Amino acid sequence: MRHTGTLIGLGLLWLSGGNVLHAQSVTYNHDSSKKNQVTVMETGGGSLTPEIYYTLLHNSYKKSAAAKNKLSFRTQAGIHLYNQVDEAETIDSALVKRAEIEALNIADRTVDLAWLAEGDKLNGQMEQFKENIDRILLVGGTPAEKERWTEYYHVYDCAIRATKDAYMPNAQRKKEYLRIHADVARQNETLVKYLVRLHNATLTDELLSATHQRTTDNGSIAAEAMNRWRAARQDVRGPSSDGGNGDTDNGNGEETVER
């Protein structure tokens, strides 16, 4: 085996008992100019050869090739990555804290504690509102009026169900329940006034109808009044009122006094 400036081939010859074995040959062609170019590109060391070729045809590349080597970029990237460790830890800590806050928010929004506090009061107001709506026809209201008030009831019922299903904290949910309760109470008060007006109107119509159907006998009324007057006079004057004082009765309810 023989080494030269340029390795042309490597051969292995083994002789044994007249048998000749040839190993597979490997060829390696060394190009120093390419090696120098790769070295300059990777580390910035060495020089570009042949110099006259780069001077004449690639002079601008020759001047900046060593400064733009990959090793400097790798070093800068490593430094930047090392500086990002603290930032990454800060971001990680912020994300962990944010995850804890969001876990509490999810728990606060999942369990409806506001309904446990305000649900009975709101249900009571809605039931009272529904009972008053059912009284509309009983006091003389029309089906159209009952339907209009029933629509109000459905609006508030839908608002309650939407608040229950909403993704919001219990503090905000409680405010919504209280606002709905106030609106229902205000509408219920208006409905009660409307029912009272309908009831009074019905009673007035009944009284007017009864008075209109009653017949009046003026003669009987006058006779009854005369009898009451005579009875009162007898009670005042007594049994001896006809003698001794000159008072006389002409039989027509008129008195004469002699002096």
Side-chain angles (χ1 to χ4, degrees), residues 8 13 21 39 80 95 124 141 187-188 217 245 257:
I8 303 299
L13 178 63
L21 297 178
T39 302
H80 291 316
L95 291 177
Q187 291 296 333
N188 199 19
D217 188 357
N245 55 5
V257 179

Side-chain angles (χ1 to χ4, degrees), residues 24 44 47 67 73 92 106 185 204-205 238 240 254:
Q24 185 177 3
S47 60
F73 290 107
D92 181 70
I106 292 174
T204 303
D205 291 339
S240 61
E254 296 179 357

Side-chain angles (χ1 to χ4, degrees), residues 56-72:
L56 294 178
L57 300 179
H58 302 286
N59 190 30
S60 59
Y61 171 72
K62 177 184 176 182
K63 293 179 180 178
S64 60
K68 296 180 179 179
N69 63 86
K70 296 180 181 179
L71 182 61
S72 62

Side-chain angles (χ1 to χ4, degrees), residues 137-151:
L137 297 179
L138 300 178
V139 295
T142 62
E145 293 170 344
K146 181 180 179 181
E147 183 179 0
R148 186 177 74 86
W149 283 101
T150 303
E151 290 298 327

Side-chain angles (χ1 to χ4, degrees), residues 74-142:
R74 294 192 184 99
T75 303
Q76 292 177 3
I79 294 172
H80 291 316
L81 290 175
Y82 181 78
N83 293 332
Q84 291 177 1
V85 173
D86 295 337
E87 297 180 1
E89 292 178 352
T90 302
I91 294 173
D92 181 70
S93 300
L95 291 177
V96 170
K97 293 180 180 179
R98 183 62 183 173
E100 294 175 354
I101 295 173
E102 285 302 321
L104 295 176
N105 290 337
I106 292 174
D108 185 35
R109 289 166 169 81
T110 302
V111 181
D112 192 358
L113 298 177
W115 181 254
L116 297 178
E118 306 296 338
D120 294 339
K121 181 170 63 175
L122 188 53
N123 281 333
Q125 191 65 243
M126 290 293 290
E127 291 176 0
Q128 185 177 2
F129 190 40
K130 184 66 168 59
E131 291 175 357
N132 290 330
I133 292 174
D134 294 336
R135 293 190 179 100
I136 293 177
L137 297 179
L138 300 178
V139 295
T142 62

